[in-house]
């Protein structure tokens, strides 16, 4: 089985890739691993290779890494390999494609706590968050230019999973369980801490929410992504039920607004769908016990 893992900076993708090796017997190939193989073949050090790559205006070394990734996948069919690489999902055939997302403030805190040296030293959480956002934008722009793909498009992946409140072990176990399923359908699972209500808690049927706690049905709720936040269009009662039962992931369909704010799925502008009220957020927090890490209006 091949699993390719990519995602957002600070999401824990490299940690979970290593756990898949340690706990489930996978072999890991990362961009660093492949760079070392290329350096060895060329008779130079990885430092020298990195220096060459920094001046590689024609992206020749990116092509070498991509070709080596393809070569490895074709030579090891039938083996259990996890690829911890930004673009492996694009090149490894027949892989289970995983994208790990995370709240930006949680990601920033992880980077600060990891103490990655002076190169990633930040004086505040907000400084770290802004740096991660900028780095990701530059990275996505570069890949779009080289490969003509949108690396943040959820439709490119089999599984999108939110690591905001999951431990690395929980994340690894969840990915493994999904990878073992016979039919790999496109699925998105988000943390309740990142789902913002679009109606008052007073309009949510509490009895319905309680009844859903023991329901076998688990249809995804509809989410509209706007400005980096996820808004619930329906399923408020279901999310309440899942929070009460201690669940850390919510199954969702995510729809994005276009450049003009139009949401094709609903035939409406995002402003008609998303009611941004601080009262809704505070009521939701008080009722569910979930604390948002940021507010859309702030």
């Amino acid at each position: 089985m091949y699993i390719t893992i990519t995602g957002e900076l600070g999401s824990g993708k490299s940690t979970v890739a290593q756990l898949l090796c340690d706990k489930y017997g996978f072999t890991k190939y990362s961009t660093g691993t492949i760079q070392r193989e290329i350096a060895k073949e060329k008779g130079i050090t990885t430092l020298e290779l990195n220096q060459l790559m920094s001046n590689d205006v024609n992206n020749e070394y990116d092509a070498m890494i991509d070709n080596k990734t393809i070569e490895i996948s074709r030579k090891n069919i039938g083996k259990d390999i996890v690829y911890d690489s930004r673009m492996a999902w694009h090149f490894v055939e027949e892989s289970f494609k995983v994208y790990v997302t995370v709240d930006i403030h949680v990601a920033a805190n992880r980077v600060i706590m990891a103490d990655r040296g002076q190169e990633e030293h930040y004086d505040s959480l907000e400084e770290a968050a802004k740096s991660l956002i900028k780095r990701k934008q530059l990275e996505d722009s570069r890949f779009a230019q080289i490969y003509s793909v949108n690396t943040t498009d959820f439709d490119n992946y089999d599984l999108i999973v939110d690591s905001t409140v999951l431990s690395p072990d929980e994340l690894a176990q969840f990915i493994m369980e999904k990878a073992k399923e016979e039919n790999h359908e496109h699925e998105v699972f988000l943390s309740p801490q990142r789902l913002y209500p679009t109606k008052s808690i007073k309009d949510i049927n509490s009895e319905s929410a309680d009844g859903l706690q023991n329901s076998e049905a688990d249809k995804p709720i509809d989410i509209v992504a706007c400005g980096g936040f996820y808004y619930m269009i329906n399923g408020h009662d279901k999310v309440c039920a899942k929070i009460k039962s201690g669940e850390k992931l919510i199954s969702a369909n995510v729809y994005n607004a276009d450049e003009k704010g139009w949401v094709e799925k609903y035939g409406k502008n995002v402003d008609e769908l998303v009611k941004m009220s601080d009262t809704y957020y505070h009521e939701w927090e008080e009722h569910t016990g979930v604390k948002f890490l940021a507010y859309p209006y702030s």
Side-chain angles (χ1 to χ4, degrees), residues 1-248:
M1 176 192 300
Y2 290 165
I3 299 177
T4 51
I5 297 182
T6 187
E8 295 159 13
L9 299 170
S11 62
K13 54 190 179 298
S14 294
T15 300
V16 77
Q18 187 58 52
L19 280 172
L20 289 174
C21 298
D22 297 341
K23 297 184 68 174
Y24 301 102
F26 279 71
T27 299
K28 184 176 78 170
Y29 275 97
S30 64
T31 300
T33 304
I34 295 169
Q35 284 177 322
R36 286 190 289 274
E37 290 195 13
I38 292 173
K40 184 177 179 180
E41 290 175 0
K42 295 180 71 68
I44 60 177
T45 66
T46 52
L47 177 59
E48 289 171 327
L49 179 63
N50 286 329
Q51 290 171 339
L52 290 172
M53 290 183 69
S54 66
N55 298 314
D56 183 18
V57 295
N58 294 319
N59 303 314
E60 293 178 7
Y61 287 94
D62 283 293
M64 286 185 187
I65 291 173
D66 300 337
N67 290 334
K68 178 62 72 172
T69 301
I70 294 170
E71 178 187 330
I72 290 168
S73 67
R74 290 178 176 173
K75 285 184 176 180
N76 292 279
I77 294 173
K79 295 183 180 179
D80 290 334
I81 297 177
V82 57
Y83 295 83
D84 173 21
S85 172
R86 302 287 191 210
M87 292 302 300
W89 64 270
H90 188 58
F91 294 102
V92 176
E93 299 171 359
E94 302 299 325
S95 73
F96 182 66
K97 301 172 175 61
V98 179
Y99 185 95
V100 186
T101 182
V102 66
D103 177 85
I104 188 60
H105 294 89
V106 170
N109 188 62
R110 288 174 181 173
V111 170
I112 291 173
M113 296 301 292
D115 189 18
R116 298 178 180 179
Q118 195 59 36
E119 288 184 1
E120 292 192 56
H121 173 75
Y122 305 103
D123 294 326
S124 69
L125 190 67
E126 286 304 317
E127 181 187 359
K130 289 179 181 178
S131 176
L132 291 180
I133 291 171
K134 184 177 180 180
R135 283 170 55 194
K136 189 68 169 70
Q137 289 173 339
L138 290 171
E139 183 181 272
D140 293 340
S141 176
R142 178 170 175 270
F143 290 147
Q145 183 178 10
I146 296 173
Y147 303 107
S148 299
V149 296
N150 180 359
T151 55
T152 62
D153 184 351
F154 284 0
D155 288 341
N156 288 324
Y157 309 98
D158 297 305
L159 175 67
I160 296 87
V161 57
D162 191 338
S163 70
T164 297
V165 297
L166 296 182
S167 70
D169 283 331
E170 288 173 327
L171 180 59
Q173 182 178 345
F174 187 78
I175 290 173
M176 198 66 233
E177 288 173 355
K178 288 296 178 181
K180 286 182 176 179
E181 291 181 357
E182 290 186 10
N183 298 316
H184 292 156
E185 297 181 359
H186 172 77
E187 295 182 289
V188 180
F189 293 88
L190 298 173
S191 163
Q193 278 78 356
R194 300 182 73 191
L195 302 182
Y196 292 81
T198 57
K199 63 181 181 181
S200 170
I201 198 72
K202 299 171 186 176
D203 298 325
I204 296 172
N205 188 327
S206 297
E207 292 182 2
S208 173
D210 291 338
L212 283 168
Q213 290 188 62
N214 298 315
S215 173
E216 292 298 323
D218 191 25
K219 294 181 180 179
I221 65 169
D222 283 0
I223 301 293
V224 166
C226 177
F229 292 91
Y230 296 110
Y231 298 92
M232 293 180 281
I233 303 303
N234 58 27
H236 290 69
D237 51 354
K238 179 180 289 189
V239 175
C240 280
K242 288 183 174 295
I243 291 171
K244 288 182 179 180
S245 64
E247 294 191 37
K248 296 182 178 181

